[in-house]
């Protein structure tokens, strides 16, 4: 099951006037036929959310057909269990369904990441440096200029980035590893990956500006 989406431990009640959220809590926390019906409704909602999220992210993983549906169903089922287990942690700061959606999205992220590593087709050790120039808005017409740029970028990656930044940068930019998959491999989360990538790209742009390959205006816009 995916990581907890940052929920607190305090017993909570829905926001004032949110009758729909209160009804979800009552029926899901109850028993019998009414609870079973509520669980079925919630599962249908989570499956729709998971399906939409899987389809949005699937192209990068070349995922389609039965595999896509399988990931969505697994994510929805695990999200349902997580929501029910954490009913007491619902703070009422948003609608209950909005709160529940987050579990489905997190489960999709975790499952797509694990799916990628079952048959990744790439190696974290492989490095395709020819991909780099276009990522920085630099498309030199002359081969020698491109060669010089690649040499500068490789030196900047080695000298300017931390080991963690370099690992993340190489995996995403050079090897095309999806963010979800990398988060699973490195036992971290998407936000931490995004932060490391932001810092790495900022350092590398600064290095390119300092060496005359980008002007300051281009660096600020990219």
């Amino acid at each position: 099951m995916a990581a907890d989406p940052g929920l607190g431990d305090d017993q909570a009640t829905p926001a004032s006037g949110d009758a729909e959220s209160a009804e979800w809590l009552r029926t899901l926390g109850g028993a019998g036929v009414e609870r079973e019906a509520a669980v079925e409704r919630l599962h249908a909602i989570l499956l729709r959310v998971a399906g939409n999220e899987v389809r949005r992210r699937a192209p990068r993983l070349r995922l389609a057909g039965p595999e896509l549906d399988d990931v969505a169903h697994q994510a929805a089922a695990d999200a349902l269990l997580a929501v029910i287990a954490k009913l007491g942690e619902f703070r009422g700061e948003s609608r209950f369904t909005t709160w529940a959606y987050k579990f489905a999205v997190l489960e999709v992220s975790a499952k797509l990441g694990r799916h990628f590593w079952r048959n990744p087709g790439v190696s974290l050790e492989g490095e395709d440096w020819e991909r780099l120039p276009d990522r920085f808005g630099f498309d030199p017409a002359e081969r020698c200029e491109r060669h010089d740029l690649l040499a500068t970028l490789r030196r900047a990656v080695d000298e300017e980035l931390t080991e963690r930044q370099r690992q993340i940068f190489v995996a995403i930019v050079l090897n095309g590893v999806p963010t979800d998959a990398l988060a699973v491999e490195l036992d971290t989360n998407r936000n931490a990956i995004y932060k490391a990538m932001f810092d790495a790209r900022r350092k590398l742009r600064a290095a390119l500006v300092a060496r005359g390959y980008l002007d300051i205006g281009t660096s600020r816009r990219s």
Side-chain angles (χ1 to χ4, degrees):
M1 211 173 278
D4 190 317
L7 306 177
D9 296 327
D10 297 332
Q11 182 71 26
T13 56
S16 176
D18 187 358
E20 181 183 355
S21 294
E23 181 66 7
W24 276 114
L25 292 178
R26 186 187 70 79
T27 54
L28 291 172
V33 175
E34 189 175 40
R35 180 181 185 276
E36 292 177 3
V39 168
E40 289 183 6
R41 291 198 307 273
L42 181 58
H43 179 262
I45 291 172
L46 295 174
L47 181 58
R48 184 171 66 250
V49 173
N52 290 338
E53 189 68 10
V54 168
R55 285 188 289 273
R56 184 178 72 82
R57 301 187 189 184
R60 291 199 64 191
L61 294 169
R62 297 180 178 86
L63 187 67
E67 284 187 309
L68 186 152
D69 292 337
D70 186 52
V71 169
H73 277 84
Q74 289 181 31
D78 284 350
L80 177 64
L81 293 176
V83 169
I84 292 175
K86 295 179 181 295
L87 286 178
E89 298 179 10
F90 176 60
R91 294 175 177 173
E93 296 172 351
S94 63
R95 298 177 71 86
F96 178 82
T97 49
T98 301
W99 176 73
Y101 292 167
K102 297 176 183 178
F103 288 89
V105 172
L106 284 172
E107 291 293 345
V108 167
S109 293
K111 285 170 175 53
L112 287 181
R114 289 193 289 270
H115 176 88
F116 176 85
W117 290 116
R118 286 201 295 268
N119 185 25
V122 301
S123 169
L124 284 178
E125 287 72 37
E127 297 178 351
D128 184 1
W129 290 94
E130 291 295 326
R131 297 185 188 188
L132 277 178
D134 294 340
R135 300 291 180 125
F136 290 88
F138 188 92
D139 187 19
E142 299 296 331
R143 180 171 298 181
C144 63
E145 292 180 4
R146 188 179 187 89
H147 176 78
D148 290 344
L149 174 62
L150 288 174
T152 299
L153 282 171
R154 293 192 68 161
R155 187 164 58 251
V157 167
D158 288 337
E159 296 176 357
E160 304 294 336
L161 303 186
T162 66
E163 180 60 29
R164 184 74 162 184
Q165 289 169 346
R166 185 184 188 284
Q167 184 179 28
I168 291 172
F169 181 85
V170 167
I172 292 177
V173 179
L174 275 65
N175 298 336
V177 177
T179 302
D180 291 327
L182 188 59
V184 170
E185 178 71 8
L186 300 182
D187 192 25
T188 185
N189 57 63
R190 290 168 62 88
N191 288 340
I193 298 290
Y194 291 144
K195 177 63 165 58
M197 275 296 296
F198 175 83
D199 292 341
R201 290 172 69 89
R202 183 178 57 185
K203 288 180 178 179
L204 295 178
R205 288 194 188 100
L208 291 180
V209 169
R211 292 166 174 79
Y213 286 99
L214 288 176
D215 61 39
I216 295 178
T218 301
S219 178
R220 286 176 178 170
R221 290 194 301 272
S222 58

